[in-house]
Amino acid sequence: MSNKIQEQAKDLLEKLVSSVNVLVDDITALEVNTMVVEQITGAKFNAWQAYEEIYSINDKDYFDVKRIPNPDDLPEPEKTQAQELRERYTSLFSQLEREYFYILLEQSNDNETDPRIIQYQERLKYQVEHKANIVPTDEEYIKLARPILPAPTPVPDQEDKNQKSLRQRWKEIEKLLKNDKFIRNLRKISELKAALNGGNITSVDIDIIYAQTVMQLDGDIISRYHNKLFKLPEGDRDLILKIHNEGVVAGEKQWRGTLDFLIGIIQSIAKLSRNERL
């Protein structure tokens, strides 16, 4: 075998091993959730679109545009429910930004700290020190609260005098969307957002996960049931449990098939490695 072919084979093997590592991280557990929603979107996952949608949650007009209830306009207990709904949305943006922070931390140089890392850490410190007394109009907080995530829109941030060009930001996002770990988390966060959107977001009522079953590779099986499930009429309760159990059976079958496929790939990689050494 020529050196060129050997190098190509080695490169292909390394890419295959990398892909398998991503699969292992993503399928170590099976989780089946059952909830009742008003609508289900059939849209397929698009990384750039998902990134834009999650990023837009941080926009100051997001909740007004989406007509998500304002807690200040409601009495109790609707006030608390509306606040919880908004917090669920904002937590999605926070999760994505936290994932980006870890990526920056991993890529940072010990001799030169990324200013975005410093800003994020200072924001967390500010939030801990001020806790419930945070004033949204405080200039220091406004500065620290600016997203460290690259903006996916061509609209410049007026607060940022060192705004990068659109092309630079586009390249940064493109690089980010090629990061396997980030994409995996973006997909999961996007699924959570789709679940939130599945209900009537103009209402304070929040969709409930009535049943959840998690299966681990070590054989542990954890099932959780919302207490409101047992307050439903008997027919509705039994139907939800039946649907959930059928989903668990179907999910487990598909999960085990994927595991068998993964094991086959690993065995093939091991065989290729032995042949290469020989």
Side-chain angles (χ1 to χ4, degrees):
M1 184 182 293
S2 67
N3 292 335
K4 184 177 180 180
I5 295 178
Q6 287 181 337
E7 287 296 324
Q8 290 177 341
K10 183 179 179 181
D11 182 59
L12 180 60
L13 181 60
E14 289 175 352
K15 289 180 179 179
L16 185 58
V17 171
S18 177
S19 299
V20 169
N21 286 334
V22 174
L23 282 173
V24 169
D25 289 340
D26 211 23
I27 64 172
T28 53
L30 168 68
E31 181 176 317
V32 179
N33 296 308
T34 299
M35 59 194 302
V36 180
V37 299
E38 291 191 359
Q39 59 180 341
I40 299 176
T41 176
K44 294 184 179 180
F45 177 77
N46 178 287
W48 187 280
Q49 183 179 352
Y51 182 82
E52 284 185 313
E53 291 178 354
I54 300 299
Y55 189 95
S56 68
I57 294 175
N58 191 63
D59 191 289
K60 62 182 180 64
D61 299 320
Y62 180 82
F63 295 116
D64 292 335
V65 172
K66 297 293 185 180
R67 295 189 298 141
I68 297 175
N70 188 339
D72 297 333
D73 299 334
L74 301 169
E76 292 289 358
E78 289 85 357
K79 181 184 181 73
T80 301
Q81 292 174 317
Q83 184 63 40
E84 182 182 347
L85 179 60
R86 290 194 172 205
E87 288 175 355
R88 287 195 181 189
Y89 274 98
T90 55
S91 69
L92 299 179
F93 176 85
S94 298
Q95 289 178 51
L96 192 66
E97 191 172 41
R98 184 168 59 250
E99 291 300 330
Y100 182 57
F101 167 74
Y102 290 141
I103 290 176
L104 292 177
L105 202 60
E106 184 180 358
Q107 298 175 346
S108 63
N109 190 316
D110 293 336
N111 300 323
E112 184 178 353
T113 305
D114 191 313
R116 291 167 295 186
I117 294 177
I118 298 176
Q119 178 193 333
Y120 188 82
Q121 292 175 315
E122 288 295 325
R123 186 202 304 168
L124 295 180
K125 180 181 178 181
Y126 182 95
Q127 291 172 338
V128 170
E129 291 176 348
H130 293 78
K131 295 182 180 179
N133 299 318
I134 293 178
V135 180
T137 55
D138 180 19
E139 290 187 4
E140 181 183 0
Y141 180 71
I142 291 176
K143 181 179 179 181
L144 294 175
R146 286 207 310 271
I148 61 173
L149 282 164
T153 67
V155 181
D157 183 351
Q158 298 299 325
E159 297 290 334
D160 188 355
K161 297 181 181 179
N162 296 316
Q163 178 67 49
K164 296 179 180 179
S165 69
L166 176 60
R167 180 173 291 277
Q168 287 176 310
R169 279 189 285 127
W170 174 77
K171 287 183 177 180
E172 188 173 358
I173 295 174
E174 282 287 298
K175 180 181 178 182
L176 189 59
L177 297 183
K178 291 179 181 178
N179 184 298
D180 292 330
K181 185 178 180 181
F182 185 83
I183 282 293
R184 187 169 63 253
N185 285 289
L186 175 61
R187 181 189 293 274
K188 292 180 179 179
I189 293 172
S190 179
E191 290 171 355
L192 292 175
K193 184 174 183 295
L196 280 178
N197 292 344
N200 180 7
I201 61 176
T202 62
S203 167
V204 295
D205 293 331
I206 298 174
D207 289 319
I208 298 171
I209 296 178
Y210 283 107
Q212 180 186 78
T213 298
V214 178
M215 296 183 182
Q216 304 286 352
L217 278 176
D218 58 8
D220 285 349
I221 300 177
I222 302 171
S223 292
R224 301 180 180 93
Y225 301 96
H226 200 289
N227 57 11
K228 289 188 177 181
L229 173 64
F230 302 99
K231 297 177 182 179
L232 295 175
E234 184 178 354
D236 293 342
R237 181 193 64 210
D238 292 344
L239 178 59
I240 290 176
L241 287 174
K242 180 176 181 293
I243 292 173
H244 179 74
N245 291 333
E246 289 177 351
V248 171
V249 172
E252 182 183 6
K253 183 177 180 181
Q254 183 177 5
W255 184 49
R256 293 188 183 282
T258 304
L259 288 174
D260 290 340
F261 174 72
L262 179 59
I263 292 172
I265 292 179
I266 294 175
Q267 290 174 339
S268 297
I269 291 175
K271 184 177 180 181
L272 285 172
S273 298
R274 287 196 300 269
N275 292 339
E276 184 178 350
R277 286 195 298 269
L278 294 175

